[in-house]
Amino acid sequence: MKPRKPCKGPLCPGLTSTKYCDRHAHLEQQDKARWDARRGSAKERGYGGSWSAARLMHLRNSPLCYDCGRPATLVHHIVPISEGGPRLDMDGLMSLCVGCHGKRHGNDARAKG
């Protein structure tokens, strides 16, 4: 079991195993809404129906994480779309579990030590 850490709520003395304590849990939704407003909807970023179909097909064909072999739940663009990578080319995708996807993007807590 992970040690509890201070709540991110303003001046809150509470401890939690997540970002916010129960009293400030509503702030998580506000954080998510602000983030979504900045980056746009999934459809606005190019992840509409075509992507959903390609993603499901890729996961059916490659159900295990490319890095660790556990069941994959995410499909990763090998060359980022922002760098000119193909959006729907099956050869430009790889199946990853959440942990390995986070490591590749540098946002996995275990990878940071």
Side-chain angles (χ1 to χ4, degrees), residues 77-99:
H77 288 90
I78 297 168
V79 177
I81 296 167
S82 62
E83 295 176 12
R87 184 177 304 280
L88 300 175
D89 179 13
M90 291 296 161
D91 293 332
L93 303 174
M94 70 171 51
S95 300
L96 295 173
C97 67
V98 173

Side-chain angles (χ1 to χ4, degrees), residues 24-44:
H24 293 105
H26 66 282
L27 295 175
E28 184 78 37
Q29 291 298 333
Q30 290 176 2
D31 289 351
K32 184 179 181 328
R34 280 193 295 273
W35 171 250
D36 287 345
R38 281 196 309 262
R39 69 183 191 147
S41 70
K43 187 174 181 178
E44 291 169 342

Side-chain angles (χ1 to χ4, degrees), residues 2 4-5 8 16-17 23 28 37 41 43 45 48 51 57 63 74-75 79 88 101 103 106 110 113:
K2 291 183 179 180
R4 293 167 37 116
K5 56 190 175 199
K8 300 286 184 187
T16 181
S17 57
R23 194 173 73 195
E28 184 78 37
S41 70
K43 187 174 181 178
R45 294 189 326 267
W51 167 250
M57 185 185 310
L74 300 173
V75 176
V79 177
L88 300 175
H101 189 258
K103 288 176 189 174
R110 291 171 295 178

